[in-house]
Short mmCIF file of all heavy atoms in Angstrom, two decimals:
data_model
loop_
_atom_site.label_atom_id
_atom_site.label_comp_id
_atom_site.label_asym_id
_atom_site.label_seq_id
_atom_site.Cartn_x
_atom_site.Cartn_y
_atom_site.Cartn_z
N ILE A 1 183.73 20.02 213.65
CA ILE A 1 184.93 19.59 214.37
C ILE A 1 185.05 20.34 215.70
O ILE A 1 184.33 21.30 215.95
CB ILE A 1 186.21 19.82 213.53
CG1 ILE A 1 186.40 21.31 213.26
CG2 ILE A 1 186.19 19.01 212.25
CD1 ILE A 1 187.79 21.68 212.83
N HIS A 2 185.99 19.90 216.52
CA HIS A 2 186.27 20.56 217.79
C HIS A 2 187.14 21.80 217.58
O HIS A 2 187.91 21.87 216.62
CB HIS A 2 186.99 19.59 218.74
CG HIS A 2 186.22 18.36 219.05
ND1 HIS A 2 186.32 17.21 218.27
CD2 HIS A 2 185.32 18.08 220.03
CE1 HIS A 2 185.53 16.28 218.77
NE2 HIS A 2 184.91 16.77 219.82
N HIS A 3 187.02 22.75 218.49
CA HIS A 3 187.85 23.95 218.45
C HIS A 3 188.23 24.32 219.88
O HIS A 3 187.43 24.17 220.81
CB HIS A 3 187.10 25.11 217.77
CG HIS A 3 187.98 26.26 217.42
ND1 HIS A 3 187.91 27.48 218.05
CD2 HIS A 3 188.98 26.38 216.51
CE1 HIS A 3 188.80 28.30 217.53
NE2 HIS A 3 189.47 27.66 216.60
N PHE A 4 189.46 24.81 220.04
CA PHE A 4 190.01 25.05 221.37
C PHE A 4 190.62 26.44 221.45
O PHE A 4 191.05 27.01 220.43
CB PHE A 4 191.10 24.01 221.69
CG PHE A 4 190.65 22.59 221.49
CD1 PHE A 4 190.85 21.94 220.27
CD2 PHE A 4 190.01 21.91 222.51
CE1 PHE A 4 190.44 20.63 220.09
CE2 PHE A 4 189.59 20.60 222.33
CZ PHE A 4 189.80 19.97 221.12
N PRO A 5 190.73 27.00 222.66
CA PRO A 5 191.43 28.29 222.82
C PRO A 5 192.92 28.13 222.52
O PRO A 5 193.48 27.05 222.70
CB PRO A 5 191.21 28.63 224.30
CG PRO A 5 190.10 27.75 224.77
CD PRO A 5 190.17 26.51 223.93
N ARG A 6 193.53 29.20 222.04
CA ARG A 6 194.99 29.17 221.84
C ARG A 6 195.67 29.15 223.20
O ARG A 6 195.40 30.00 224.05
CB ARG A 6 195.43 30.40 221.03
CG ARG A 6 196.94 30.46 220.82
CD ARG A 6 197.34 31.77 220.15
NE ARG A 6 197.48 31.65 218.72
CZ ARG A 6 198.58 31.30 218.08
NH1 ARG A 6 199.66 30.98 218.79
NH2 ARG A 6 198.63 31.24 216.78
N LYS A 7 196.59 28.18 223.40
CA LYS A 7 197.28 28.04 224.68
C LYS A 7 198.61 28.77 224.73
O LYS A 7 199.09 29.11 225.81
CB LYS A 7 197.50 26.54 224.98
CG LYS A 7 196.23 25.78 225.28
CD LYS A 7 196.54 24.35 225.69
CE LYS A 7 195.27 23.59 226.05
NZ LYS A 7 195.56 22.20 226.47
N ALA A 8 199.24 28.97 223.58
CA ALA A 8 200.57 29.59 223.56
C ALA A 8 200.74 30.39 222.28
O ALA A 8 200.08 30.13 221.27
CB ALA A 8 201.66 28.52 223.66
N GLY A 9 201.64 31.38 222.33
CA GLY A 9 201.90 32.20 221.16
C GLY A 9 200.77 33.19 220.91
O GLY A 9 199.81 33.30 221.67
N THR A 10 200.88 33.93 219.81
CA THR A 10 199.89 34.94 219.46
C THR A 10 199.46 34.76 218.01
O THR A 10 200.21 34.26 217.18
CB THR A 10 200.47 36.36 219.63
OG1 THR A 10 201.65 36.50 218.82
CG2 THR A 10 200.82 36.63 221.09
N SER A 11 198.24 35.19 217.72
CA SER A 11 197.72 35.08 216.36
C SER A 11 198.50 35.98 215.42
O SER A 11 198.86 37.11 215.76
CB SER A 11 196.23 35.48 216.35
OG SER A 11 195.74 35.50 215.03
N LYS A 12 198.78 35.49 214.22
CA LYS A 12 199.51 36.28 213.21
C LYS A 12 198.56 36.85 212.16
O LYS A 12 198.99 37.45 211.19
CB LYS A 12 200.55 35.39 212.50
CG LYS A 12 201.39 34.52 213.42
CD LYS A 12 202.13 35.31 214.47
CE LYS A 12 203.07 34.46 215.30
NZ LYS A 12 202.42 33.38 216.05
N TYR A 13 197.25 36.67 212.38
CA TYR A 13 196.26 37.04 211.37
C TYR A 13 195.30 38.03 212.00
O TYR A 13 194.38 37.66 212.71
CB TYR A 13 195.53 35.79 210.90
CG TYR A 13 194.65 35.97 209.69
CD1 TYR A 13 195.00 36.84 208.67
CD2 TYR A 13 193.47 35.24 209.57
CE1 TYR A 13 194.18 36.99 207.56
CE2 TYR A 13 192.66 35.38 208.45
CZ TYR A 13 193.02 36.27 207.45
OH TYR A 13 192.22 36.41 206.36
N GLY A 14 195.50 39.34 211.75
CA GLY A 14 194.75 40.39 212.41
C GLY A 14 193.35 40.59 211.86
O GLY A 14 193.00 40.14 210.79
N ILE A 15 192.53 41.30 212.64
CA ILE A 15 191.16 41.60 212.27
C ILE A 15 191.12 42.43 210.98
O ILE A 15 190.28 42.19 210.10
CB ILE A 15 190.45 42.38 213.40
CG1 ILE A 15 190.49 41.56 214.71
CG2 ILE A 15 189.02 42.70 213.00
CD1 ILE A 15 189.81 40.24 214.65
N SER A 16 192.04 43.37 210.84
CA SER A 16 192.02 44.26 209.66
C SER A 16 192.23 43.47 208.37
O SER A 16 191.65 43.80 207.33
CB SER A 16 193.11 45.33 209.80
OG SER A 16 194.39 44.74 209.89
N LYS A 17 193.04 42.41 208.41
CA LYS A 17 193.27 41.60 207.21
C LYS A 17 192.00 40.89 206.77
O LYS A 17 191.75 40.71 205.58
CB LYS A 17 194.39 40.59 207.46
CG LYS A 17 195.77 41.22 207.57
CD LYS A 17 196.84 40.16 207.72
CE LYS A 17 198.23 40.79 207.79
NZ LYS A 17 199.28 39.76 207.94
N ARG A 18 191.19 40.47 207.76
CA ARG A 18 189.94 39.81 207.41
C ARG A 18 188.96 40.78 206.74
O ARG A 18 188.33 40.46 205.75
CB ARG A 18 189.29 39.22 208.67
CG ARG A 18 189.97 37.97 209.19
CD ARG A 18 189.16 37.38 210.35
NE ARG A 18 189.73 36.11 210.79
CZ ARG A 18 190.68 36.00 211.69
NH1 ARG A 18 191.18 37.09 212.24
NH2 ARG A 18 191.16 34.82 212.03
N LEU A 19 188.85 41.97 207.32
CA LEU A 19 187.83 42.90 206.86
C LEU A 19 188.25 43.69 205.62
O LEU A 19 187.42 44.06 204.80
CB LEU A 19 187.47 43.86 208.00
CG LEU A 19 186.82 43.20 209.23
CD1 LEU A 19 186.49 44.24 210.27
CD2 LEU A 19 185.58 42.42 208.83
N ILE A 20 189.54 43.96 205.49
CA ILE A 20 190.03 44.72 204.33
C ILE A 20 190.47 43.79 203.20
O ILE A 20 190.15 44.02 202.04
CB ILE A 20 191.20 45.64 204.75
CG1 ILE A 20 190.72 46.68 205.79
CG2 ILE A 20 191.79 46.35 203.53
CD1 ILE A 20 191.82 47.51 206.38
N GLY A 21 191.20 42.72 203.57
CA GLY A 21 191.74 41.85 202.54
C GLY A 21 190.68 41.05 201.80
O GLY A 21 190.79 40.84 200.58
N THR A 22 189.63 40.62 202.50
CA THR A 22 188.63 39.76 201.88
C THR A 22 187.94 40.40 200.67
O THR A 22 187.85 39.78 199.61
CB THR A 22 187.59 39.29 202.91
OG1 THR A 22 188.26 38.51 203.91
CG2 THR A 22 186.51 38.45 202.26
N PRO A 23 187.40 41.65 200.78
CA PRO A 23 186.74 42.24 199.60
C PRO A 23 187.68 42.39 198.40
O PRO A 23 187.29 42.15 197.25
CB PRO A 23 186.27 43.62 200.11
CG PRO A 23 186.17 43.45 201.58
CD PRO A 23 187.27 42.52 201.96
N ILE A 24 188.93 42.77 198.66
CA ILE A 24 189.90 42.93 197.57
C ILE A 24 190.15 41.58 196.90
O ILE A 24 190.13 41.45 195.67
CB ILE A 24 191.22 43.51 198.11
CG1 ILE A 24 190.98 44.93 198.64
CG2 ILE A 24 192.29 43.52 197.02
CD1 ILE A 24 192.18 45.51 199.37
N ASP A 25 190.36 40.56 197.71
CA ASP A 25 190.62 39.22 197.17
C ASP A 25 189.41 38.67 196.42
O ASP A 25 189.57 37.86 195.50
CB ASP A 25 191.02 38.26 198.29
CG ASP A 25 192.37 38.60 198.90
OD1 ASP A 25 193.16 39.30 198.23
OD2 ASP A 25 192.63 38.17 200.03
N CYS A 26 188.21 39.08 196.82
CA CYS A 26 187.01 38.62 196.12
C CYS A 26 187.01 39.06 194.66
O CYS A 26 186.62 38.30 193.77
CB CYS A 26 185.75 39.16 196.82
SG CYS A 26 185.29 38.25 198.31
N PHE A 27 187.47 40.28 194.40
CA PHE A 27 187.53 40.75 193.02
C PHE A 27 188.60 39.99 192.24
O PHE A 27 188.43 39.72 191.04
CB PHE A 27 187.80 42.25 192.99
CG PHE A 27 186.61 43.08 193.37
CD1 PHE A 27 186.52 43.69 194.61
CD2 PHE A 27 185.54 43.23 192.48
CE1 PHE A 27 185.41 44.44 194.96
CE2 PHE A 27 184.43 43.99 192.82
CZ PHE A 27 184.36 44.59 194.07
N ILE A 28 189.70 39.65 192.89
CA ILE A 28 190.73 38.84 192.24
C ILE A 28 190.15 37.48 191.88
O ILE A 28 190.37 36.96 190.77
CB ILE A 28 191.96 38.67 193.15
CG1 ILE A 28 192.61 40.04 193.41
CG2 ILE A 28 192.98 37.71 192.52
CD1 ILE A 28 193.74 39.99 194.42
N TYR A 29 189.40 36.88 192.82
CA TYR A 29 188.78 35.59 192.55
C TYR A 29 187.82 35.67 191.36
O TYR A 29 187.81 34.77 190.50
CB TYR A 29 188.01 35.09 193.78
CG TYR A 29 187.07 33.97 193.45
CD1 TYR A 29 187.53 32.68 193.24
CD2 TYR A 29 185.70 34.21 193.29
CE1 TYR A 29 186.67 31.66 192.89
CE2 TYR A 29 184.83 33.20 192.94
CZ TYR A 29 185.32 31.93 192.74
OH TYR A 29 184.46 30.93 192.38
N LEU A 30 187.02 36.73 191.28
CA LEU A 30 186.08 36.86 190.17
C LEU A 30 186.81 36.94 188.84
O LEU A 30 186.36 36.39 187.83
CB LEU A 30 185.20 38.10 190.36
CG LEU A 30 184.14 38.02 191.47
CD1 LEU A 30 183.35 39.32 191.53
CD2 LEU A 30 183.20 36.84 191.25
N TRP A 31 187.96 37.63 188.82
CA TRP A 31 188.75 37.72 187.60
C TRP A 31 189.28 36.33 187.21
O TRP A 31 189.21 35.93 186.05
CB TRP A 31 189.91 38.69 187.79
CG TRP A 31 190.72 38.89 186.55
CD1 TRP A 31 190.50 39.79 185.54
CD2 TRP A 31 191.90 38.17 186.17
NE1 TRP A 31 191.46 39.66 184.56
CE2 TRP A 31 192.34 38.67 184.91
CE3 TRP A 31 192.64 37.14 186.76
CZ2 TRP A 31 193.46 38.19 184.26
CZ3 TRP A 31 193.76 36.65 186.11
CH2 TRP A 31 194.16 37.18 184.87
N ILE A 32 189.78 35.59 188.21
CA ILE A 32 190.28 34.24 187.95
C ILE A 32 189.15 33.34 187.46
O ILE A 32 189.33 32.55 186.52
CB ILE A 32 190.94 33.67 189.22
CG1 ILE A 32 192.27 34.38 189.48
CG2 ILE A 32 191.17 32.16 189.10
CD1 ILE A 32 192.92 33.99 190.79
N LYS A 33 188.00 33.44 188.08
CA LYS A 33 186.86 32.61 187.68
C LYS A 33 186.50 32.86 186.22
O LYS A 33 186.19 31.93 185.47
CB LYS A 33 185.65 32.91 188.57
CG LYS A 33 184.43 32.07 188.24
CD LYS A 33 183.27 32.42 189.17
CE LYS A 33 182.04 31.58 188.83
NZ LYS A 33 180.89 31.91 189.72
#
């Protein structure tokens, strides 16, 4: 699909959430699986 630069406002999803939150959530997913 197409993707565009953000024209207004600011991102609410920080870099730290991607790098820290993902490994923790992976273990939660494995438990659910």
